[in-house]
Amino acid sequence: RMGLSEDIWNHEYWLPPGATWEDMKESADVRYPQPRDLLLCIPGALLLILVRCVFERTVALPVGRRLGVSDKLRPKVQPNAVLEGFYLLLSRTPKEEDLISLAKQSDLPVTKVKTWFRHRRAQDRPRLMKKFCEASWRFTFYFTSFFSGLALLYDKPWVWDHTVCWLRYPQQPLLPAFGWFYLLELSFYCALVVTLPFDVKRKDFKEQIIHHIATITLICVSYCANLIRFGMMVMLVHDASDYILELAKMLHYLKLKRVCEATFIVFTVVFIISRLVIFPLITYYYFVTKFQLFLLSGLINTFLMILQLLHIFWSYLIIQMIFSVILRGAKRKDARSDTEESDRSEAEEPAKDK
């Protein structure tokens, strides 16, 4: 490590006072996290994208069809270069004066221009089967991830006694299973960032990007600094509710309203307990109070606070949905729904994303 590299990897930035990289020298029996390991997330993300494509086509699609998921027929629009150009370059929902201008240019009645734009927007809305396939993939991953993490952690003393979490840090050898779990999670979130522009776009698109960037940053820096024990607990707490959410989505697409609502209420309870109680009051609290303050811990604190603010934001929207949609029986219209660059005349589906 020379020059800039040496400055970046200065132990004073990455490790608590008194600790150096020499404390984490590997031997034949003992292995510690190495930053170069993180490069495996690149082939890992590409592999997960490939697995997802195969899964959606060979598993989710046939299962969805068998369970009765079907796409509604949508009216086709007549090709029109003027209207298409306006739709793609200027606006999907033209104002009244634009409609009049476009009607003159196209030699069509204003009502037909309105209808053309309504049908054109309908064509672009994600189809139900696509939503079902996406939810099925995420359900499968989150379910596997959560219960794998649970199996790895349930018998570890430092999960139940957080003071043990920092014992002899940073000289805490890396268990191979933890290393692979970390890389799997990192690969998954990298894959999510890559596929985000192609997936069903949701109203909290910007918040999702912030969440993914914060998560990737936390996974990377905690791995390099050997904060594996703490990182594993944070990931497990975050994974606890995700698979329930995706299951609720799948039930919604299957039009199993009552079961969907019951599942969503379970998700809400688990989400609030895990994100607003266990994470800040137990996991995060011990990080702040038991861990020595240094540059990296300050960075981690910042990103953990960003995640916590997102948890509060999403909890508010989820509770709002519970009251407006389920308890009051209102028309389904969730603030976290799939973005409808869609027709306002059509009912919007509830969304529930993490």
Side-chain angles (χ1 to χ4, degrees):
R1 297 171 181 159
M2 299 296 289
L4 181 61
S5 178
E6 192 173 47
D7 289 336
I8 291 172
W9 293 106
N10 189 317
H11 64 84
E12 292 180 359
Y13 302 153
W14 292 86
L15 302 174
T20 69
W21 294 116
E22 294 297 314
D23 298 327
M24 296 166 60
K25 267 196 170 179
E26 294 188 327
S27 65
D29 312 329
V30 179
R31 187 172 182 276
Y32 291 101
Q34 298 297 321
R36 63 176 178 270
D37 298 342
L38 297 175
L39 293 174
L40 289 171
C41 77
I42 298 172
L46 295 174
L47 181 61
L48 280 178
I49 291 170
L50 178 62
V51 170
R52 172 184 170 174
C53 291
V54 173
F55 174 86
E56 288 187 1
R57 291 191 179 197
T58 62
V59 179
L61 190 62
V63 168
R65 284 175 178 159
R66 186 173 287 267
L67 293 176
V69 178
S70 60
D71 295 320
K72 289 182 180 177
L73 290 174
R74 294 176 178 178
K76 291 183 179 179
V77 296
Q78 293 296 320
N80 188 307
V82 174
L83 302 184
E84 186 71 22
F86 188 94
Y87 180 87
L88 293 174
L89 300 175
L90 296 174
S91 174
R92 296 160 57 102
T93 51
K95 295 176 182 176
E96 194 65 34
E97 57 266 29
D98 294 324
L99 289 170
I100 295 169
S101 173
L102 288 166
K104 288 178 181 177
Q105 293 175 53
S106 309
D107 197 25
L108 291 170
V110 173
T111 52
K112 284 202 172 182
V113 174
K114 279 185 181 178
T115 303
W116 188 94
F117 274 93
R118 187 171 68 251
H119 290 170
R120 183 67 181 81
R121 288 194 297 271
Q123 277 190 356
D124 275 359
R125 281 201 303 279
R127 294 187 175 273
L128 197 64
M129 184 60 83
K130 177 178 170 61
K131 296 177 185 178
F132 180 82
C133 289
E134 283 188 17
S136 300
W137 163 248
R138 287 195 295 265
F139 168 78
T140 303
F141 181 87
Y142 289 138
F143 184 88
T144 306
S145 172
F146 175 68
F147 285 100
S148 298
L150 203 61
L152 289 173
L153 291 179
Y154 84 97
D155 62 344
K156 301 298 182 288
W158 41 267
V159 173
W160 310 108
D161 181 3
H162 287 5
T163 55
V164 182
C165 188
W166 312 113
L167 201 61
R168 298 191 64 208
Y169 176 82
Q171 292 176 303
Q172 296 174 342
L174 174 67
L175 295 177
F178 286 3
W180 287 113
F181 186 86
Y182 243 76
L183 287 172
L184 179 66
E185 289 275 336
L186 179 59
S187 298
F188 178 72
Y189 280 102
C190 288
L192 278 185
V193 171
V194 173
T195 59
L196 207 54
F198 311 103
D199 291 340
V200 175
K201 194 175 180 183
R202 308 195 180 272
K203 284 187 176 179
D204 60 350
F205 182 75
K206 291 177 182 176
E207 288 83 3
Q208 280 185 311
I209 292 174
I210 294 169
H211 175 274
H212 295 343
I213 290 172
T215 302
I216 289 169
T217 302
L218 283 169
I219 291 174
C220 289
V221 297
S222 63
Y223 187 85
C224 292
N226 199 23
L227 287 165
I228 302 296
R229 293 181 179 182
F230 175 69
M232 287 288 292
M233 288 190 293
V234 171
M235 285 191 283
L236 187 67
V237 168
H238 280 73
D239 285 348
S241 59
D242 293 338
Y243 69 94
I244 307 173
L245 170 60
E246 300 304 330
L247 178 60
K249 284 187 189 180
M250 292 163 66
L251 293 168
H252 172 72
Y253 302 143
L254 292 170
K255 297 181 171 58
L256 299 172
K257 182 181 175 184
R258 294 296 178 195
V259 187
C260 169
E261 289 178 350
T263 305
F264 189 71
I265 290 171
V266 172
F267 158 73
T268 303
V269 172
V270 175
F271 184 92
I272 290 172
I273 290 174
S274 60
R275 307 287 182 99
L276 299 188
V277 180
I278 294 175
F279 174 66
L281 302 183
I282 301 176
T283 310
Y284 181 59
Y285 170 78
Y286 275 95
F287 177 74
V288 174
T289 58
K290 303 295 181 184
F291 203 53
Q292 289 177 286
L293 185 65
F294 59 102
L295 184 65
L296 184 71
S297 66
L299 177 67
I300 290 174
N301 267 325
T302 302
F303 278 95
L304 288 175
M305 286 175 67
I306 290 170
L307 285 182
Q308 190 56 32
L309 289 173
L310 287 172
H311 297 162
I312 294 167
F313 167 73
W314 281 323
S315 296
Y316 166 74
L317 295 182
I318 289 165
I319 291 168
Q320 191 180 50
M321 179 185 172
I322 290 287
F323 278 97
S324 65
V325 177
I326 297 176
L327 298 183
R328 293 180 189 169
K331 183 180 178 182
R332 287 186 173 274
K333 184 177 181 182
D334 178 24
R336 302 199 60 201
S337 69
D338 300 334
T339 198
E340 72 329 323
E341 302 237 78
S342 69
D343 247 305
R344 302 213 172 202
S345 61
E346 295 187 20
E348 299 171 49
E349 99 180 47
K352 319 137 196 164
D353 224 342
K354 78 174 182 166

